[in-house]
Protein backbone atom coordinates (compact mmCIF):
# COMPACT_ATOMS: atom_id res chain seq x y z
CA UNK A 1 0.00 0.00 0.00
CA UNK A 2 1.35 3.46 -0.87
CA UNK A 3 1.93 6.17 1.74
CA UNK A 4 -1.03 8.15 0.44
CA UNK A 5 -3.38 5.18 0.55
CA UNK A 6 -2.18 4.31 4.02
CA UNK A 7 -2.93 7.81 5.22
CA UNK A 8 -6.32 7.73 3.58
CA UNK A 9 -7.10 4.36 5.16
CA UNK A 10 -6.03 5.59 8.59
CA UNK A 11 -8.32 8.60 8.25
CA UNK A 12 -11.21 6.41 7.12
CA UNK A 13 -10.73 4.19 10.18
CA UNK A 14 -10.59 7.16 12.50
CA UNK A 15 -13.79 8.50 10.99
CA UNK A 16 -15.48 5.14 11.31
CA UNK A 17 -14.65 5.10 14.99
CA UNK A 18 -16.64 8.29 15.42
CA UNK A 19 -19.66 6.74 13.69
CA UNK A 20 -21.41 5.67 16.87
CA UNK A 21 -21.11 9.06 18.51
CA UNK A 22 -22.22 10.74 15.30
CA UNK A 23 -25.25 8.47 15.03
CA UNK A 24 -26.17 9.33 18.59
CA UNK A 25 -25.86 13.06 17.99
CA UNK A 26 -27.79 12.85 14.73
CA UNK A 27 -30.44 10.48 16.16
CA UNK A 28 -29.64 8.34 13.11
CA UNK A 29 -31.10 10.93 10.75
CA UNK A 30 -29.34 12.97 8.13
CA UNK A 31 -28.27 16.12 9.95
CA UNK A 32 -29.16 18.25 6.94
CA UNK A 33 -32.36 16.82 5.47
CA UNK A 34 -33.52 14.58 8.35
CA UNK A 35 -33.77 11.51 6.10
CA UNK A 36 -34.35 8.37 8.16
CA UNK A 37 -33.54 4.75 7.47
CA UNK A 38 -30.82 5.61 4.98
CA UNK A 39 -27.12 5.03 5.33
CA UNK A 40 -25.32 8.05 6.73
CA UNK A 41 -21.73 9.02 6.28
CA UNK A 42 -19.31 11.25 8.10
CA UNK A 43 -18.55 14.34 6.07
CA UNK A 44 -15.63 16.44 7.25
CA UNK A 45 -16.28 20.15 7.20
CA UNK A 46 -13.55 22.34 5.71
CA UNK A 47 -10.99 23.28 6.84
CA UNK A 48 -10.27 19.70 7.86
CA UNK A 49 -8.30 19.41 11.14
CA UNK A 50 -5.15 17.21 11.39
CA UNK A 51 -7.07 14.62 13.39
CA UNK A 52 -10.78 13.93 12.79
CA UNK A 53 -12.88 15.89 15.26
CA UNK A 54 -16.54 15.10 15.81
CA UNK A 55 -17.27 18.80 16.16
CA UNK A 56 -15.95 19.32 12.62
CA UNK A 57 -18.01 16.56 11.07
CA UNK A 58 -21.59 16.28 9.92
CA UNK A 59 -23.44 13.00 9.55
CA UNK A 60 -25.35 13.11 6.29
CA UNK A 61 -27.17 10.98 3.72
CA UNK A 62 -25.90 10.08 0.26
CA UNK A 63 -28.20 12.59 -1.47
CA UNK A 64 -26.90 15.53 0.55
CA UNK A 65 -23.33 14.28 0.21
CA UNK A 66 -23.43 13.92 -3.59
CA UNK A 67 -24.90 17.36 -4.09
CA UNK A 68 -22.45 19.06 -1.75
CA UNK A 69 -19.55 17.40 -3.52
CA UNK A 70 -20.93 18.02 -7.02
CA UNK A 71 -22.52 21.46 -7.18
CA UNK A 72 -23.60 20.70 -10.76
CA UNK A 73 -25.94 18.01 -9.46
CA UNK A 74 -27.68 20.34 -7.06
CA UNK A 75 -31.42 19.87 -6.97
CA UNK A 76 -32.85 22.99 -5.38
CA UNK A 77 -36.01 21.18 -4.29
CA UNK A 78 -33.98 18.95 -2.03
CA UNK A 79 -32.50 21.92 -0.22
CA UNK A 80 -35.68 23.34 1.25
CA UNK A 81 -34.49 21.26 4.20
CA UNK A 82 -32.03 24.07 4.88
CA UNK A 83 -34.91 26.10 6.29
CA UNK A 84 -34.41 24.18 9.52
CA UNK A 85 -30.80 23.04 9.14
CA UNK A 86 -29.42 26.58 9.14
CA UNK A 87 -30.75 26.95 12.69
CA UNK A 88 -29.04 23.81 13.94
CA UNK A 89 -27.44 24.06 17.37
CA UNK A 90 -24.59 21.87 16.09
CA UNK A 91 -22.09 24.39 14.70
CA UNK A 92 -20.73 22.06 11.99
CA UNK A 93 -24.25 21.43 10.68
CA UNK A 94 -25.00 25.13 10.66
CA UNK A 95 -21.78 25.86 8.77
CA UNK A 96 -22.47 23.30 6.04
CA UNK A 97 -26.11 24.37 5.78
CA UNK A 98 -25.20 28.03 5.33
CA UNK A 99 -22.48 27.20 2.80
CA UNK A 100 -25.01 25.28 0.71
CA UNK A 101 -27.55 28.05 1.14
CA UNK A 102 -25.07 30.57 -0.18
CA UNK A 103 -24.84 28.60 -3.43
CA UNK A 104 -28.58 29.00 -3.87
CA UNK A 105 -29.17 32.62 -2.99
CA UNK A 106 -28.53 33.93 -6.48
CA UNK A 107 -31.08 31.60 -8.03
CA UNK A 108 -33.77 31.03 -5.44
CA UNK A 109 -35.77 33.77 -3.75
CA UNK A 110 -36.66 31.57 -0.75
CA UNK A 111 -32.94 31.01 -0.19
CA UNK A 112 -32.26 34.71 -0.32
CA UNK A 113 -35.06 35.40 2.18
CA UNK A 114 -33.77 32.71 4.49
CA UNK A 115 -30.25 34.06 4.31
CA UNK A 116 -31.50 37.54 5.15
CA UNK A 117 -33.23 36.24 8.27
CA UNK A 118 -30.19 34.42 9.54
CA UNK A 119 -28.37 35.48 12.60
CA UNK A 120 -24.92 33.90 12.87
CA UNK A 121 -22.50 34.05 15.75
CA UNK A 122 -19.21 35.70 14.74
CA UNK A 123 -17.20 32.47 15.15
CA UNK A 124 -19.67 30.61 12.92
CA UNK A 125 -19.53 33.40 10.36
CA UNK A 126 -15.76 33.14 10.44
CA UNK A 127 -15.77 29.35 10.00
CA UNK A 128 -18.19 29.63 7.06
CA UNK A 129 -15.82 31.90 5.17
CA UNK A 130 -12.76 29.85 6.10
CA UNK A 131 -12.81 27.09 3.49
ZN1 LIG B 1 -29.60 14.39 3.70
Amino acid sequence: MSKGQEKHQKRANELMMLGKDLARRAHSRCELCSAMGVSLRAYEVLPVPPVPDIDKIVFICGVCYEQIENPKLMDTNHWHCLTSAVWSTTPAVQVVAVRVLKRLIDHESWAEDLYDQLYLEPDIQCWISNA
Side-chain angles (χ1 to χ4, degrees), residues 102-115:
K102 284 174 113 175
R103 292 184 191 170
L104 300 168
I105 47 181
D106 291 337
H107 322 284
E108 298 286 318
S109 62
W110 64 264
E112 199 181 348
D113 292 343
L114 179 61
Y115 190 72

Side-chain angles (χ1 to χ4, degrees), residues 14-56:
E14 286 167 344
L15 283 176
M16 208 139 72
M17 274 165 21
L18 293 172
K20 239 186 201 164
D21 291 332
L22 281 165
R24 195 174 308 133
R25 185 183 77 191
H27 305 289
S28 299
R29 285 165 162 239
C30 172
E31 289 188 294
L32 289 173
C33 74
S34 304
M36 282 178 89
V38 294
S39 77
L40 300 170
R41 60 173 87 188
Y43 175 72
E44 293 198 273
V45 184
L46 295 173
V48 173
V51 176
D53 176 349
I54 191 165
D55 294 328
K56 304 276 165 65

Side-chain angles (χ1 to χ4, degrees), residues 19-112:
K20 239 186 201 164
D21 291 332
L22 281 165
R24 195 174 308 133
R25 185 183 77 191
H27 305 289
S28 299
R29 285 165 162 239
C30 172
E31 289 188 294
L32 289 173
C33 74
S34 304
M36 282 178 89
V38 294
S39 77
L40 300 170
R41 60 173 87 188
Y43 175 72
E44 293 198 273
V45 184
L46 295 173
V48 173
V51 176
D53 176 349
I54 191 165
D55 294 328
K56 304 276 165 65
I57 294 171
V58 293
F59 210 38
I60 58 175
C61 72
V63 177
C64 288
Y65 182 86
E66 286 300 323
Q67 296 191 30
I68 289 173
E69 288 289 282
N70 305 298
K72 280 187 191 140
L73 300 180
M74 290 243 314
D75 167 15
T76 43
N77 287 326
H78 178 72
W79 294 106
H80 284 279
C81 61
L82 294 176
T83 311
S84 53
V86 291
W87 300 107
S88 172
T89 51
T90 305
V93 174
Q94 196 175 29
V95 166
V96 174
V98 175
R99 280 183 184 159
V100 175
L101 183 67
K102 284 174 113 175
R103 292 184 191 170
L104 300 168
I105 47 181
D106 291 337
H107 322 284
E108 298 286 318
S109 62
W110 64 264
E112 199 181 348

